[in-house]
Amino acid sequence: MREELEILMNRRWVLKAEEKELYYRLRDAAGEIRKFATEKMGCQIIANSLLIKMEKIPAVPEEWMGIREFTSREEYAFLCVLLMFLEDKDTEYQFTISMLTDYISANMPAEKVDWTIYTHRRRLVKVMRYAKTQGIIQVTDGNDENFMEDQNGQVLYENTGASRYFMKNFSTDIMSYSEPEDFLESEWFGVDEDRGIARRHRVYKRLLFSPGMYRSEGTAEDFEYLKYYGRRLAEDLNEHLDCDLHIHRGSAYALPQEGSRLGIQFPGNNAVSDMILLVCREVRRKVEEGIWKAETDEMILVDQMEFERLLKEVKRTYGNGFTKQFREMQEGEYVETMMEEMRIWSFIRVMEKDHMVGIYPAAGKIQGRYPADYAGGDRDEQ
């Protein structure tokens, strides 16, 4: 069951039409998976003739949990209207992009979309390409490049039927919601209970759906659960997902073992991971030397300009070992890229109103250094 559980944890769903053998394999294991997923995490397993899916709703929503391919709110709006358009359409229903643009123009909550503007067409194409990669639609005929260049360009799509399972089905009417906080207060996140089943679900989700679980975020009582049930939780994670549980004063982590294939792991085999490891080393050095001090919750608060100076110092010191892309990157772009990547991995939290950066304790758990023969100024051993 372990491998099947990892697959459902890692992926949105498995479509029968695309991966029939894997689909049936997961269907056979669904009963055992459902027991762990529902009892421990509060995640429902959806299994039907079209697909199999684990409904993964985080206990604490975080900025990086959005769709990374999207860069504007309009793209999210287009996706929602696309799902509305497909909701009452049969599987294998075919439609042209002009049919969809007419529907979007009539149903967008804001002002009417002007399809003569290239930016709008490009954003819609980005949404359609994303929908295709997710298995929501298929391209039957035409090329979306034609529509991107000219509003009269046509593309023919086919509905797979999977769109009905993309969004969570709500048991209450959400039309009265006007702010993201409304969802937090609803049963969707279930944060209104601090004990019992709801609390257990939150703790498992916080550990498995985020890089780390922090006392300073979410419900403080969740750390009490770790105090009393940490050993049992550690056994569960080890048995079902090949993860080790690390609990500290202000943070906790589910760390995959060497054979685990759960989620996207850090560090990856890429230049950004290497650079983040070097930054974490410098953060740790500043703490050890007393320049920066950790708060009682293990967080480190520094002025944003000071943190950006640290990033620049890392590039100046180790830049000879960076890839060509980052060696030649403008300083401002480099800082922005590093801040974004560290934010996504929950190494930092940027508090823009206060012009401060909060450095999470995860940054102190790992560090990197170049080997002794590195020519950029550092001579420590790997």
Side-chain angles (χ1 to χ4, degrees):
M1 182 200 79
R2 180 181 294 170
E3 187 176 345
E4 288 79 11
L5 178 59
E6 285 181 350
I7 291 171
L8 290 178
M9 290 279 289
N10 290 341
R11 299 171 59 170
R12 180 178 302 280
W13 52 36
V14 172
L15 299 174
K16 179 182 177 182
E18 294 183 357
E19 299 174 276
K20 185 174 292 187
E21 185 176 334
L22 178 58
Y23 164 83
Y24 281 113
R25 180 177 146 201
L26 295 174
R27 281 292 296 261
D28 291 341
E32 194 175 355
I33 294 173
R34 183 177 282 110
K35 182 178 180 181
F36 176 80
T38 56
E39 289 184 5
K40 303 299 184 180
M41 298 189 293
C43 296
Q44 300 301 313
I45 301 295
I46 298 172
N48 53 42
S49 60
L50 185 67
L51 54 80
I52 182 167
K53 172 190 181 183
M54 178 188 291
E55 195 86 272
K56 297 178 282 289
I57 306 299
V60 179
E62 302 185 52
E63 291 180 28
W64 55 266
M65 290 179 174
I67 299 173
R68 294 201 67 182
E69 291 86 344
F70 291 178
T71 55
S72 69
R73 288 180 294 179
E74 188 177 42
E75 289 158 359
Y76 285 98
F78 285 167
L79 176 61
C80 291
V81 179
L82 170 64
L83 296 176
M84 290 168 54
F85 175 78
L86 296 174
E87 187 172 7
D88 59 353
K89 304 295 189 295
D90 294 331
T91 301
E92 299 183 350
Y93 170 82
Q94 294 190 337
F95 62 97
T96 62
I97 198 164
S98 61
M99 294 168 61
L100 179 61
T101 54
D102 289 344
Y103 185 87
I104 292 174
S105 296
N107 289 276
M108 279 291 282
E111 59 190 53
K112 185 176 180 180
V113 181
D114 184 354
W115 297 112
T116 64
I117 298 176
Y118 173 78
T119 300
H120 293 163
R121 300 197 304 274
R122 179 176 57 81
R123 287 174 175 171
L124 178 59
V125 167
K126 188 189 295 187
V127 170
M128 300 305 284
R129 289 178 178 176
Y130 173 77
K132 181 178 180 296
T133 63
Q134 297 301 304
I136 295 173
I137 58 173
Q138 295 176 345
V139 177
T140 301
D141 190 25
N143 190 324
D144 56 24
E145 293 283 350
N146 296 332
F147 172 76
M148 192 145 38
E149 295 301 325
D150 184 349
Q151 64 170 326
N152 295 315
Q154 285 293 355
V155 190
L156 183 63
Y157 296 102
E158 183 176 295
N159 178 33
T160 67
S163 63
R164 296 173 183 173
Y165 304 96
F166 185 87
M167 296 285 285
K168 173 182 170 61
N169 289 321
F170 295 94
S171 57
T172 56
D173 186 3
I174 65 172
M175 292 303 293
S176 62
Y177 292 0
S178 58
E179 301 292 339
E181 289 73 21
D182 294 335
F183 288 94
L184 287 173
E185 296 170 1
S186 73
E187 62 177 15
W188 192 28
F189 288 98
V191 295
D192 56 333
E193 298 180 49
D194 293 329
R195 293 176 174 80
I197 296 174
R199 184 169 64 163
R200 181 175 71 220
H201 292 170
R202 283 200 312 271
V203 172
Y204 274 82
K205 286 180 177 182
R206 290 181 66 183
L207 286 168
L208 292 172
F209 294 167
S210 296
M213 173 178 168
Y214 301 107
R215 186 185 293 273
S216 59
E217 298 181 354
T219 306
E221 285 79 2
D222 291 351
F223 258 81
E224 290 297 309
Y225 184 93
L226 293 177
K227 178 180 177 180
Y228 294 107
Y229 303 104
R231 180 175 297 181
R232 184 186 304 174
L233 198 156
E235 292 173 354
D236 267 347
L237 295 180
N238 187 274
E239 177 185 353
H240 294 96
L241 291 166
D242 264 347
C243 290
D244 293 324
L245 178 63
H246 290 205
I247 303 175
H248 303 280
R249 183 179 61 189
S251 60
Y253 310 89
L255 301 181
Q257 298 174 7
E258 188 173 344
S260 175
R261 290 168 293 189
L262 182 65
I264 302 173
Q265 298 182 16
F266 184 93
N269 186 23
N270 56 64
V272 174
S273 290
D274 293 344
M275 293 188 296
I276 290 176
L277 288 172
L278 293 170
V279 172
C280 290
R281 182 192 179 201
E282 293 304 306
V283 169
R284 186 164 181 162
R285 180 183 63 80
K286 284 183 175 291
V287 173
E288 290 173 347
E289 294 177 0
I291 300 172
W292 289 352
K293 294 185 179 181
E295 304 292 326
T296 55
D297 60 359
E298 299 181 323
M299 288 283 289
I300 302 168
L301 297 178
V302 298
D303 182 82
Q304 184 171 339
M305 294 294 292
E306 187 176 355
F307 186 78
E308 291 179 1
R309 279 197 297 272
L310 174 68
L311 296 178
K312 295 171 185 177
E313 289 171 6
V314 168
K315 185 177 183 182
R316 284 194 292 269
T317 305
Y318 304 103
N320 288 347
F322 290 2
T323 60
K324 181 179 179 181
Q325 175 191 358
F326 287 99
R327 285 199 310 270
E328 298 179 353
M329 186 177 287
Q330 293 294 318
E331 197 172 67
E333 184 182 358
Y334 157 76
V335 168
E336 185 178 339
T337 300
M338 291 295 290
M339 295 277 283
E340 176 66 10
E341 288 295 325
M342 293 190 74
R343 184 184 63 81
I344 287 172
W345 282 103
S346 291
F347 287 117
I348 64 170
R349 180 178 76 233
V350 180
M351 294 165 277
E352 295 181 356
K353 291 183 179 179
D354 300 322
H355 305 289
M356 299 288 287
V357 171
I359 305 173
Y360 287 109
K365 290 185 68 68
I366 57 175
Q367 60 178 315
R369 58 184 65 177
Y370 283 132
D373 59 355
Y374 169 68
D378 186 270
R379 297 293 177 181
D380 289 330
E381 295 295 332
Q382 181 76 26

